[in-house]
Each structure stands twice: as C-alpha cells, then as structure tokens.
Amino acid sequence: MMTIMSYHDPVLLFESVDGLSIKPDGVYVDVTFGGGGHSKEILKRLGAGGKLFAFDQDKDALQNDIEDDRFTLIPENFRFIQRFLRLHGIKSVDGILADLGVSSHQFDSAQRGFSTRFDADLDMRMNTNDPVSAYEVINEYKEEELSQLLYQYGELRNSRALAREIVSARSEAPIKTSFQLKEVLQKFLPKPKEHKILAQIFQAIRIEVNQEIQALKEFLLQTPELLNEKGRLSIISYHSLEDRLVKRFMQFGIFEGEPEKDFYGNVSVPFKKVGKLILPSSQEIKLNNRARSAKLRIAEKN
C-alpha cells in the first residue's frame, strides 16, 4: 500500500493567485492541482456563483479532492484542457493557473523514482498508467536518442559520453534502479558537483518520460482560445526550458520564429504581459527549498 505524504506549501501562493485578478462569479482552472493549495486559495476568493476546475494526472493528488460544490477535479493531463472542460460544458474561462514541474510530494515518495536521494526502481511517471517509464528510456533508447535528451532537457554538455556509458553498461545487464544508474555514471560525478549533475540527468529523463515540454506547448497553444477577454494566465516554472517557452508564448503567442505582421507592419499577439517577472522572497526559499528556482509570469488576454 502506498503511503501518502503531506504536500508542502505551494510556491508563490498569494502572488500567483493575485495574478488571476479573480472575479467572484468567474470560472477558473488550476491545471496542476497537487496538494490543492492554490485551488483552496482560489476558492476562498470565489463567490457562490464562481467555479473552479482542476487537473492532475497523478493518482496520489486525487486523494486531496476538495468537497465544495463550486469545485471539480479532473484526473487528466493538462495538455487535454479544452477537451475535458468542454465535457463539463465549459468553453471559456476567466483565468488559468499552472505550477509546473514535480511536486515536493512526488520527490519525497521514494518508490516513485523521481529523487536522486532514494534507491528506487527507475520509474518517474507522473501518470502511473503511462506505458513508458524511466526504465524504458535508460534501457531501450538508442545511444543517439539518449544523448539528445540529456543535452536538450538536462543541458549537459557531455551528453554523448553519458549516453555511451549507459549503453555500454546496459549491454552487460539492465539498469533497474536510480542507484544503479548513479553507479554506472559515477566517473562523471565529481564530489562537489555530484548532486547538481545527477539532478540534471534525472530532470532530463523525467521530462522525456512525461513528455513535459510537448504537454506544456500543447496546453499553452489552447489558452488564447479558452480565455475570455482580459482573462489571466498565471504560470510558475522551475527550469529555463519551461520558462523560455512560457515567456516567449506570453510575448508573441508562438514558440519560435517571428510573429506575423499585417499590411501596416503591426503584430497581433494574443497576450500582454502583466507586471514584471516575480521571484520568491528569501524568506519563502528558507521555508521551502523547492521555491529557489521558481519564476512566476502573468499575462492578460488581449
């Protein structure tokens, strides 16, 4: 039986919910429900006629469901946001909040395999029904694919050497646990930098397993159509890959290239930025180490 650990306080709680500029009778979506902290704060600010929908693909998070007539928890990946909101009769909303990355609960659940601190089966699936786990990535991906994902998602310059080492080791015997993987790559983990490099390796594998970048792009592309005029997007990200995508999408409505101009050279973009980039205070970082790399960006639908 799986033990459910407590979820830490949500990062940038008040700042991210303030960013939604909540109307008491509005319709809002928390696409990363987790422990329910952001959702509870949104519900406090909603009136009797307001509605909140939340998404989470992690079965553990579903145990934190909130008993409130205004609240609906949808057990799905947020990349399917439009489809599942429509099933609930919702075509447009007034605000969407996302707290990206892995919850502290997922890191603290040893058996999930997210953390470098515990020896566990190579898993890392946020949705435990997904067919591909970290085991398949490490033991079945071609060397070139491994090298590419370590470079792209872990920003590891020696990705080729790391991939070669993994492929060489697994030809002797499968690599089954997080500590076995650590052992295989030991020569690339100098003591002062061991934790940082391992975290980058685990991040890269986790992003691949959960298709995090693809899911984030699919989710963002649906937001301009979903949000009402002056609707708000409030997004917390934790690593540069996510933050670059969020920043660029809020700025231009696309992920690469230049936005199209009309006959007069004017650019039409779906959002305008609200305020500046928000970072957690030193006090919050002291209370919650996970907050140290958090960045909050807020945008409003034009």
Side-chain angles (χ1 to χ4, degrees), residues 50-100:
K51 274 192 169 70
L52 173 63
F53 293 86
F55 282 73
D56 208 302
Q57 61 180 331
D58 187 343
K59 287 195 188 95
D60 286 4
L62 306 181
Q63 306 200 29
N64 301 316
D65 200 354
I66 301 165
E67 281 195 37
D68 189 312
D69 292 343
R70 302 165 299 166
F71 179 74
T72 305
L73 179 54
I74 299 169
E76 295 291 341
N77 189 312
F78 64 40
R79 72 198 302 173
F80 307 122
I81 183 169
Q82 265 183 305
R83 184 195 305 175
F84 283 96
L85 286 178
R86 277 185 184 149
L87 285 176
H88 288 273
I90 303 295
K91 286 185 180 160
S92 64
V93 302
D94 298 296
I96 302 169
L97 182 143
D99 180 3
L100 305 170

Side-chain angles (χ1 to χ4, degrees), residues 168-278:
S168 169
R170 77 189 191 193
S171 67
E172 308 278 319
I175 302 165
K176 293 181 178 177
T177 70
S178 43
F179 279 16
Q180 281 176 1
L181 180 60
K182 193 168 156 182
E183 189 62 39
V184 163
L185 298 175
Q186 200 59 57
K187 70 179 182 190
F188 299 100
L189 306 171
K191 266 284 173 267
K193 291 183 177 175
E194 179 178 15
H195 179 70
K196 182 178 184 292
I197 297 167
L198 264 181
Q200 286 171 275
I201 292 166
F202 273 53
Q203 172 183 293
I205 299 164
R206 187 199 82 223
I207 289 172
E208 175 66 20
V209 166
N210 297 291
Q211 297 190 319
E212 289 174 41
I213 299 301
Q214 295 95 313
L216 176 59
K217 284 182 173 179
E218 286 173 30
F219 155 69
L220 288 170
L221 286 167
Q222 295 170 75
T223 56
E225 198 183 328
L226 254 179
L227 284 165
N228 292 321
E229 193 181 338
K230 296 202 176 303
R232 292 286 185 90
L233 199 51
S234 181
I235 301 184
I236 304 164
S237 54
Y238 294 86
H239 58 74
S240 56
L241 291 170
E242 287 173 341
D243 185 55
R244 280 198 296 269
L245 286 176
V246 171
K247 180 183 179 181
R248 202 155 201 290
F249 192 76
M250 285 180 170
Q251 207 171 353
F252 300 120
I254 52 175
F255 302 115
E256 47 204 41
E258 293 303 314
E260 285 183 22
K261 293 179 179 174
D262 67 14
F263 180 74
Y264 301 102
N266 299 315
V267 171
S268 172
V269 293
F271 294 105
K272 66 177 180 204
K273 197 170 72 160
V274 175
K276 291 181 176 170
L277 172 70
I278 298 170

